Amino acid sequence: MQTRSSALAATPQPAATVLDIGSLPLQLEDLTRERIKALPKPALQELSVLLAEMDRGIGHAREQLTAALDDLYGDAARAQLLDAGKDTGTTHLTDGDLAITVEIKKSVSWDQDELAAIAQRIASNGDDPAEYIDVKYSVSERKFAAWPETLRRPFEAARTLKPAKPAFRLAINGEGK
């Protein structure tokens, strides 16, 4: 199982990735549902493994690219935003012929215990906390399953089970599992 794709070279090459699956060279762009269903079973398993490996490799490469770009341009982008009186947002930089757009998104988290205390104070003053605070109730599935039947029964009407998308792992019989 090999992947053949254009490596980073001095001259940019087209990014049409060709996958060698057994003796079946396939381009990623040509992988349709129908073509995949028609693959021999060993090739189907090999494609599954190959795509998982490519996902990991792409994820790693993307993390490294982001880290390198942050090393190169992050401080300048943050300084430019701070000069505009902002911690987050979108800013634009140039480096020679390269135009760089940097977006620093907000990441907000709320202290749940503090919000619960605020909600109690709002309610004790006669107001509806739902006008100010979004509340989402949930029950841990592991805890729910461990409860005795008498405790679970009243909660069952509030519980909806929806199957998630299936996940598949393929292996050739006799090869490691």
Side-chain angles (χ1 to χ4, degrees), residues 49-114:
V49 169
L50 178 61
L51 291 176
E53 290 172 358
M54 290 173 74
D55 275 347
R56 283 190 297 277
I58 289 170
H60 174 76
R62 189 170 309 284
E63 287 173 10
Q64 295 304 307
L65 174 63
T66 299
L69 291 174
D70 191 32
D71 289 349
L72 290 168
Y73 306 112
D75 289 342
R78 283 184 278 280
Q80 201 167 2
L81 286 170
L82 285 174
D83 286 346
K86 302 189 245 177
D87 290 328
T88 61
T90 302
T91 191
H92 305 279
L93 305 167
T94 55
D95 184 1
D97 292 339
L98 184 63
I100 305 112
T101 299
V102 182
E103 181 181 7
I104 300 176
K105 294 182 179 184
K106 292 179 184 179
S107 177
V108 179
S109 62
W110 293 90
D111 182 307
Q112 297 303 296
D113 293 334
E114 186 66 29

Side-chain angles (χ1 to χ4, degrees), residues 6 16 20-21 27 41-43 48 60 63 78 103 107 114-115 118 120 127 129 137 143 155 161 164-165 169 172 176:
S6 55
D20 284 331
I21 302 170
Q27 285 194 327
K41 301 310 180 230
S48 175
H60 174 76
E63 287 173 10
R78 283 184 278 280
E103 181 181 7
S107 177
E114 186 66 29
L115 285 179
I118 292 169
Q120 280 184 328
D127 288 326
Y137 297 102
K143 290 178 182 178
F155 284 83
L161 178 78
K165 286 187 177 183
R169 284 184 271 326
I172 300 299

Side-chain angles (χ1 to χ4, degrees), residues 1 14 16 26 33 40 52 64 82 103 110 113 116 123 125 130 133-134 140-141 145 170 173 177:
M1 159 181 53
L26 297 170
R33 180 183 293 197
Q64 295 304 307
L82 285 174
E103 181 181 7
W110 293 90
D113 293 334
N125 288 330
I133 300 172
D134 294 327
S140 159
E141 190 63 20
L170 306 176
N173 288 330
K177 295 188 176 132

Side-chain angles (χ1 to χ4, degrees), residues 149-162:
E149 182 65 28
T150 55
L151 182 57
R152 280 199 332 238
R153 197 173 302 124
F155 284 83
E156 287 176 350
R159 181 177 176 262
T160 301
L161 178 78
K162 294 182 202 173

